[in-house]
Amino acid sequence: MDELIKSTAILVGVYTHNDKEFYYEMEELKGLAEACCIDPVYQLTQTLDHPNNSTYIGSGKLIELQEKVELFEADCVIFNDELSPAVLNNIAEILSCEILDRTMLILEIFKTRAKTKEACLQVELANLKYMLPRLIGARKNLSRTGGGGSGGTGARRGSGETALELDRRIIENRISHIREELAEVVKSRYITRSLRKKNNTPSVALAGYTNAGKSTTINSLLKYSKDQIDNKEVFVKDMLFATLETSTRRIKLENNHEFLLTDTVGFVNKLPHHLIEAFKSTLEEVTEASLIIHVIDASSPFVEEQIKTTIDVLNKLGCSNIPVLYCFNKIDLVKNEIFIPTSYSPMIKISNQNNDGINELINYIDNTLFTKSYSVTLLIPYDKGNIYNILKEKANVENTEYLENGIKCKVILSEHLYNIYKEYIKEE
């Protein structure tokens, strides 16, 4: 799709009688358009039992839509659902402007937001997989331009059909090449995760709707880390899909408990399956987490719908067995008339703006990840002095005595460290 800067658009949606989320979806479609530098100038809706199989909306409504395009001098029309190649072609025969569906719009946003090589490859893969069947549909008229010669099944191929096959081959080869490149990234990430498991470093993944405040929450939690050297703040901006990169930071608490904190790409209603599949290697960070923090924009009037969308995506990823904390963010923006659900448990209310609830969040993470701890006294021989240095880094050393036969220390150990150093336990 050509770059859309300061374009105008008409939004189109079909309301089915049982679709309670329709108005929320249309409002979100408006936000997606604005995130793509498109100004929605008019909204056209139609009530049907289901979208029309040929033209999405009825033929009469489609003519009315063309009249609105001319009236508002709209550059494009954006449909609230993903359109099939056939429907896309049928609509194109009536409308005299660019046609986008919800999936195209989200793909375009992802394309403009992708920065790293991995994210760019993931977005390109999703885009190519979306384009492939639509390329075939766009070429269908050209494929009929068979050349001369005898009729019947022996007719030689025309230039249009040859162009279609060439385009298909190019796209399929590119898809194959991208998958190979992403496989290398997956392999590298798998090795990294294996090392984390070997070192028994627990991980926490932040998941949630786009623009719910996941990256801001990471930056707030970073302030509680003892080690600030490599813990750079992650990028934050008040916009949909501000970042597509997975950011991981190491948090070391005052008691020396360490865990990894990972931000993930935000979710949105009707997130295209092409994107979920393309970003699967990135989203696998969530499936490997010891705890998922579901960050929620408590000030959103559509909070229930956004929670449901995130839960649905997490279930599709296979995260149903991982503990989840519902973290209601932006409580400083919650007005009295906006209701914060109480049916989600466990839950914490926070404000990254005012730092409210962040200490409670840290304590919850600490208590959840390090449920088993052992208060013991160790006697470490002087020739094993490096163990004492490790304990100062990895455990909570409460007091130390230097005796003739070694270093005596009272220390609180995680289960992992207890199993490693239990041979040095000194009974008192």
Side-chain angles (χ1 to χ4, degrees):
M1 184 176 73
D2 294 334
E3 186 178 10
L4 294 169
I5 302 297
K6 297 181 180 178
S7 300
T8 57
I10 294 176
L11 308 183
V12 181
V14 169
Y15 172 73
T16 56
H17 302 283
N18 297 321
D19 190 357
K20 298 179 180 179
E21 297 182 359
F22 174 73
Y23 297 103
Y24 158 62
E25 289 177 3
M26 293 301 294
E27 185 66 25
E28 184 175 82
L29 188 66
K30 178 183 175 182
L32 291 169
E34 292 170 344
C36 209
C37 299
I38 303 174
D39 180 23
V41 293
Y42 185 77
Q43 182 172 300
L44 185 145
T45 64
Q46 185 176 26
T47 301
L48 296 171
D49 291 334
H50 55 78
N52 187 287
N53 293 330
S54 299
T55 53
Y56 186 70
I57 54 177
S59 56
K61 206 71 171 177
L62 192 58
I63 294 173
E64 179 187 340
L65 176 58
Q66 172 57 27
E67 293 172 352
K68 296 299 182 184
V69 169
E70 295 172 355
L71 176 65
F72 289 96
E73 298 181 344
D75 299 303
C76 63
V77 172
I78 304 174
F79 292 85
N80 186 43
D81 292 283
E82 183 173 312
L83 303 178
S84 70
V87 170
L88 195 61
N89 289 333
N90 293 338
I91 293 174
E93 292 178 359
I94 304 298
L95 300 185
S96 59
C97 64
E98 185 170 13
I99 302 167
L100 306 175
D101 64 16
R102 189 183 185 94
T103 298
M104 290 180 188
L105 191 62
I106 295 174
L107 285 171
E108 180 66 16
I109 295 172
F110 271 58
K111 187 172 74 174
T112 58
R113 300 285 193 269
K115 301 299 179 186
T116 65
K117 180 181 179 182
E118 180 185 9
C120 290
L121 287 171
Q122 289 167 323
V123 173
E124 185 182 358
L125 176 61
N127 195 53
L128 290 174
K129 291 175 70 176
Y130 176 82
M131 282 174 53
L132 194 56
R134 285 152 185 84
L135 174 71
I136 297 170
R139 287 280 189 181
K140 69 177 182 179
N141 291 326
L142 292 177
S143 67
R144 298 173 185 159
T145 60
S150 59
T153 57
R156 62 187 177 88
R157 293 176 180 174
S159 59
E161 187 175 1
T162 303
L164 170 60
E165 291 178 342
L166 178 62
D167 289 344
R168 282 190 64 176
R169 192 182 313 110
I170 291 173
I171 290 179
E172 289 172 346
N173 287 343
R174 180 59 185 158
I175 288 174
S176 178
H177 181 68
I178 292 173
R179 283 175 169 163
E180 289 176 1
E181 289 191 71
L182 287 175
E184 290 300 314
V185 176
V186 172
K187 182 178 179 181
S188 175
R189 188 175 284 121
Y190 175 79
I191 293 173
T192 301
R193 282 203 297 262
S194 297
L195 289 174
R196 290 177 192 169
K197 289 181 178 180
K198 185 177 179 180
N199 296 329
N200 201 39
T201 305
S203 63
V204 177
L206 273 67
Y209 218 76
T210 180
N211 210 29
K214 298 183 298 298
S215 298
T216 309
T217 301
I218 278 194
N219 290 340
S220 294
L221 294 176
L222 283 174
K223 298 173 184 176
Y224 286 76
S225 180
K226 289 175 64 176
D227 296 339
Q228 300 288 339
I229 299 176
D230 297 322
N231 279 346
K232 295 180 180 179
E233 289 191 346
V234 298
F235 176 75
V236 172
K237 192 169 183 179
D238 185 15
M239 64 194 305
L240 298 179
F241 302 114
T243 177
L244 305 182
E245 280 66 58
T246 298
S247 303
T248 300
R249 300 292 186 268
R250 183 179 294 272
I251 304 289
K252 186 173 184 178
L253 304 179
E254 289 298 324
N255 59 9
N256 286 340
H257 287 168
E258 284 187 350
F259 62 91
L260 297 174
L261 191 61
T262 299
D263 190 12
T264 59
V265 63
F267 304 143
V268 71
N269 197 36
K270 295 183 179 178
L271 189 65
H273 69 276
H274 303 295
L275 279 174
I276 295 177
E277 184 64 29
F279 278 76
K280 195 169 184 180
S281 62
T282 300
L283 294 171
E284 280 178 355
E285 292 290 336
V286 181
T287 66
E288 297 290 333
S290 308
L291 170 68
I292 295 174
I293 298 178
H294 180 169
V295 181
I296 301 156
D297 180 358
S299 68
S300 171
F302 306 109
V303 61
E304 288 279 12
E305 290 85 353
Q306 293 180 359
I307 292 173
K308 180 179 179 296
T309 295
T310 300
I311 291 175
D312 287 345
V313 176
L314 289 174
N315 287 338
K316 286 179 182 177
L317 293 171
C319 301
S320 56
N321 294 325
I322 301 175
V324 175
L325 170 67
Y326 294 94
C327 182
F328 286 85
N329 185 27
K330 305 183 184 181
I331 59 170
D332 54 297
L333 301 179
V334 175
K335 299 177 182 178
N336 293 333
E337 65 268 21
I338 297 180
F339 171 68
I340 296 181
T342 57
S343 57
Y344 299 97
S345 179
M347 67 172 287
I348 285 179
K349 301 176 184 179
I350 69 168
S351 167
N352 288 295
Q353 184 69 28
N354 301 333
N355 208 41
D356 293 338
I358 303 300
N359 191 63
E360 182 183 358
L361 178 57
I362 282 287
N363 289 335
Y364 184 91
I365 294 172
D366 190 21
N367 293 333
T368 301
L369 298 183
F370 304 96
T371 52
K372 291 185 179 181
S373 61
Y374 302 85
S375 180
V376 297
T377 299
L378 303 180
L379 183 61
I380 303 169
Y382 284 112
D383 61 352
K384 302 286 186 180
N386 63 307
I387 294 177
Y388 180 69
N389 294 330
I390 292 173
L391 293 175
K392 287 195 295 183
E393 285 290 319
K394 302 291 185 182
N396 185 11
V397 179
E398 295 184 323
N399 60 59
T400 304
E401 293 182 61
Y402 293 91
L403 308 177
E404 289 186 7
N405 55 342
I407 304 171
K408 179 183 176 184
C409 57
K410 186 174 182 181
V411 60
I412 298 177
L413 300 176
S414 66
E415 184 174 23
H416 174 65
L417 293 176
Y418 175 84
N419 290 329
I420 294 176
Y421 301 119
K422 60 185 178 182
E423 63 180 287
Y424 301 105
I425 292 177
K426 177 179 175 59
E427 299 294 339
E428 295 190 288

